């Protein structure tokens, strides 16, 4: 009976979605292409003109396949900050959709009844959608990139009214004009457009100057928890500048003399944001410690400017390690009801304005920890293993998370790892040391006593004692 009821519920929801006929009464699009990551905000007003309630909404866009971050909120009755986030999932583009369009199905907070209305706000961040044009540049040349999108919303629904605003960081070389079109400084305005049919979205492109740091990285983040009082964090980076590739000679003298003129698109440094309790910082690469860094402490946190041995230009890369430690009390607490230990910290790496194409997070728990459980509001792959260090007998449980395509908005998501751990485990290493040293001393005592008795029992020693040498 339970399976039959579940099947009927699925069919009912499918019927609700199939019979609904949504209309977008108004949509305002704001697209920011001034940085390496493209940000888009949608403000939607919906109306259901169908005979039945609508349970979900399809959001579609040509760039949605490269969305690292998507957040949809119901803002009909509350402000954006307090609005609850709506669940969504990847969905196949419906029949009639243009080639290359990707879609996401958003579950509405409650089925939208006939003639019902709703207001939603969607935020999205796209990575690797800006293409350097030209693909190569000299040291003193600015970087120009090409953005491709649509003047209207690519939607399977009729759109009554809509407008699009694009914020450009630098000077515009060229932009597709779809009337009505207006350019004011570094802002391009398209629309308003009225009564657009489904999928009536015209392609546009913008060619403009963008000297933002195009930094992408593969990051391995290892967090070691010690109940002796510290949490050790080490982050290993392989950062690439994925902008226009540098051609021709480059001059460090020109760079030192006038960095704004001779490194317009270069990356001279990185900024790391750490908790206020961070201490024992280090920054090194394969050669050794890198001393070219600056640390500023405040009540809000620790800001560290990391200056690599050489600036990064297009096509260049750098590999380095950055680490610090935290007091155990600032990162690990106790669940009052269960008594389990809980480690909590942001999942993302410390560096700002760096897209993590891949991120591996290793949480090394203390030896004796059991039953680790992970909580994170991001998609990830989970693995578990054991790690051995000095004086370990059973090994330390290691929780390994693999994530991809992380942007700044996602790095602050809280990673929680809870585990069972007895305080008696702290005695394991001291008792092990005492036992080993006690065994060594016992063997030494036995060996010493055995050697003296065997020496006294030998004939030569007895003769020497019985017959002293005559003077």
């Amino acid at each position: 009976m339970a399976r039959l009821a579940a099947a009927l519920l699925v069919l009912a929801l499918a019927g609700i979605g199939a019979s609904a006929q949504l209309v977008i009464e108004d949509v305002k699009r704001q697209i920011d292409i001034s940085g390496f990551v493209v940000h888009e905000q949608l403000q939607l007003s919906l109306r259901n003109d169908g005979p039945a309630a609508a349970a979900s909404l399809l959001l579609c866009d040509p760039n949605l396949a490269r969305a690292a971050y998507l957040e949809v909120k119901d803002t009909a009755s509350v402000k954006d900050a307090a609005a609850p986030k709506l669940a969504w999932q990847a969905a196949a583009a419906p029949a009639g959709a243009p080639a290359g369009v990707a879609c996401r199905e958003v579950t509405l907070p409650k089925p939208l009844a006939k003639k019902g209305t709703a207001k939603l706000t969607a935020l999205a961040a796209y990575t690797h959608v800006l293409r350097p044009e030209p693909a190569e540049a000299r040291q003193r040349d600015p970087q120009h990139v090409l953005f491709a999108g649509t003047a209207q919303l690519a939607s399977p629904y009729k759109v009554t009214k809509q407008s699009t605003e694009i914020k450009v960081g630098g000077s515009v070389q060229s932009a597709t004009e779809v009337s009505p079109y207006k350019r004011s400084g570094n802002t391009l305005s398209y629309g308003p457009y009225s009564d657009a049919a489904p999928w009536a979205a015209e392609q546009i492109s913008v060619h403009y100057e963008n000297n933002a740091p195009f930094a992408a990285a593969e990051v391995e983040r290892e967090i070691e928890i010690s109940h002796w009082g510290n949490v050790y964090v080490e982050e290993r980076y392989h950062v690439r500048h994925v902008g226009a590739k540098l051609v021709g000679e480059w001059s460090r003298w020109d760079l030192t003399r006038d960095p704004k003129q001779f490194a317009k698109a270069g990356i001279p440094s990185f900024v790391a944001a750490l908790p206020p309790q961070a201490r024992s910082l280090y920054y090194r690469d394969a050669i050794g410690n890198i001393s070219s860094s600056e640390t500023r402490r405040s009540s809000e946190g620790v800001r560290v400017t990391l200056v690599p041995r050489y600036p990064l230009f297009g096509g260049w890369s750098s590999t380095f390690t950055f680490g610090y430690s935290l007091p155990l009390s600032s990162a690990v607490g106790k669940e009052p009801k269960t008594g389990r230990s809980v480690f909590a910290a942001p999942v993302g790496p410390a560096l700002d304005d760096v897209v993590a194409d891949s991120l591996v997070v290793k949480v090394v728990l203390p030896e004796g920890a059991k039953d680790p459980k992970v909580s994170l509001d991001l998609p990830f792959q989970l693995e578990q293993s054991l790690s051995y260090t000095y004086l370990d007998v059973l090994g330390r449980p290691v929780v390994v998370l693999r994530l991809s395509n992380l942007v700044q908005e996602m790095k602050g998501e809280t990673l929680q790892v809870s585990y069972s751990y007895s305080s008696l485990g702290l005695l394991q290493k001291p008792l092990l040391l005492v036992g080993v040293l006690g065994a060594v001393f016992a063997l030494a005592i036995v060996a010493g006593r055995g050697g003296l008795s065997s020496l006294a029992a030998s004939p030569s020693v007895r003769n020497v004692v019985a017959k002293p040498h005559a003077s």
Side-chain angles (χ1 to χ4, degrees):
M1 291 297 294
R3 293 182 178 179
L4 178 60
L8 291 176
L9 178 60
V10 171
L11 291 175
L13 292 176
I16 289 175
S19 60
Q21 186 178 350
L22 292 176
V23 174
I24 299 179
E25 292 182 321
D26 186 27
V27 57
K28 293 181 174 63
R29 304 170 68 207
Q30 294 179 324
I31 306 174
D32 187 345
I33 58 174
S34 60
F36 175 37
V37 178
V38 174
H39 295 87
E40 181 174 5
Q41 179 179 4
L42 295 176
Q43 293 179 335
L44 298 163
S45 296
L46 304 176
R47 186 181 73 245
N48 184 11
D49 286 351
S56 61
L57 165 76
L58 274 183
L59 288 179
C60 302
D61 192 275
N63 291 320
L64 204 54
R66 291 300 312 168
Y69 176 80
L70 176 62
E71 178 184 279
V72 185
K73 293 184 176 182
D74 177 19
T75 55
S77 58
V78 293
K79 295 182 179 180
D80 289 3
K85 296 181 182 180
L86 303 182
W88 59 267
Q89 62 181 356
V101 169
C103 297
R104 301 291 184 266
E105 183 178 8
V106 180
T107 302
L108 298 176
K110 60 181 180 179
L112 192 61
K114 180 181 179 180
K115 300 302 180 181
T117 60
K119 291 185 178 181
L120 305 179
T121 298
L123 300 174
Y126 310 123
T127 60
H128 299 285
V129 299
L130 300 178
R131 188 178 80 245
E133 185 64 39
E136 297 178 341
R138 296 174 302 173
Q139 181 179 353
R140 66 180 301 168
D141 292 341
Q143 178 176 262
H144 292 90
V145 299
L146 189 68
F147 168 75
T150 57
Q152 301 89 6
L153 180 67
S155 175
Y157 313 111
K158 177 183 176 181
V159 184
T160 304
K161 182 182 178 182
Q162 62 180 313
S163 61
T164 300
E165 184 178 278
I166 300 178
K167 179 183 177 182
V168 183
S171 60
V172 178
Q173 304 297 307
S174 63
T176 305
E177 299 185 11
V178 178
S179 184
Y181 164 83
K182 183 177 69 174
R183 176 178 168 184
S184 176
N186 291 334
T187 302
L188 310 178
S189 299
Y190 292 87
Y193 303 103
S194 301
D195 298 326
W199 305 120
E202 299 178 76
Q203 298 288 328
I204 62 170
S205 63
V206 183
H207 188 215
Y208 65 104
E209 181 179 337
N210 187 342
N211 293 319
F214 277 43
E218 289 80 38
V219 187
E220 182 176 328
R221 191 165 188 243
E222 184 170 328
I223 304 167
E224 182 179 335
I225 301 173
S226 170
H227 276 247
W228 285 97
N230 282 303
V231 175
Y232 303 96
V233 183
E234 183 172 279
E235 300 178 352
R236 294 176 280 274
Y237 291 87
H238 178 70
V239 185
R240 297 168 291 114
H241 191 310
V242 295
K245 294 183 178 180
L246 179 70
V247 293
E249 297 180 354
W250 81 283
S251 169
R252 186 179 289 274
W253 162 250
D254 290 336
L255 179 67
T256 304
R257 180 170 55 90
D258 192 353
K260 293 184 178 180
Q261 179 67 23
F262 289 93
K264 291 182 177 180
I267 304 176
S269 62
F270 302 96
V271 176
L274 306 179
Q277 303 87 352
R279 59 196 182 191
S280 303
L281 281 64
Y282 59 90
Y283 172 42
R284 61 173 181 257
D285 59 8
I287 300 176
N289 290 328
I290 306 175
S291 58
S292 54
S293 60
E294 180 184 3
T295 303
R296 294 184 178 181
R297 293 183 176 272
S298 67
S299 59
E300 298 179 355
V302 181
R303 303 283 292 181
V304 186
T305 302
L306 304 176
V307 182
R309 297 186 187 276
Y310 52 86
L312 292 187
F313 292 98
W316 292 17
S317 63
S318 178
T319 302
F320 57 87
T321 299
F322 176 63
Y324 56 96
S325 66
L326 297 169
L328 182 70
S329 59
S330 68
V332 178
K334 285 276 190 180
E335 288 183 349
K337 295 183 178 180
T338 63
R340 289 168 61 88
S341 298
V342 181
F343 165 78
V347 68
L351 295 193
D352 290 340
D353 299 324
V354 174
V355 173
D357 288 341
S358 66
L359 172 63
V360 178
V361 180
K362 298 181 179 179
V363 182
V364 183
L365 303 177
E367 189 174 24
K370 298 178 181 178
D371 190 26
K373 296 180 180 179
V374 178
S375 174
L376 177 64
D377 290 336
L378 292 176
F380 62 90
Q381 297 178 353
L382 180 63
E383 303 173 7
Q384 294 190 25
S385 61
L386 287 176
S387 172
Y388 291 88
T389 58
Y390 57 91
L391 299 179
D392 286 342
V393 178
L394 302 176
R396 303 185 182 191
V398 181
V399 176
V400 182
L401 291 82
R402 299 185 183 275
L403 304 94
S404 61
N405 206 19
L406 263 73
V407 293
Q408 194 68 31
E409 291 84 351
M410 305 162 68
K411 293 178 181 180
E413 291 289 340
T414 300
L415 166 66
Q416 287 190 345
V417 180
S418 65
Y419 55 94
S420 299
Y421 182 74
S422 173
S423 299
L424 295 177
L426 294 174
L427 300 177
Q428 177 177 325
K429 285 182 172 56
L431 292 177
L432 180 62
L433 282 174
V434 170
V436 171
L437 291 177
V440 170
F441 286 129
L443 288 175
I445 292 171
V446 171
R449 289 183 176 179
L452 290 174
S453 60
S454 61
L455 184 62
S458 61
S460 57
V461 174
R462 287 199 302 269
N463 293 334
V464 170
V465 174
K467 298 179 181 180
H469 181 69
S471 53

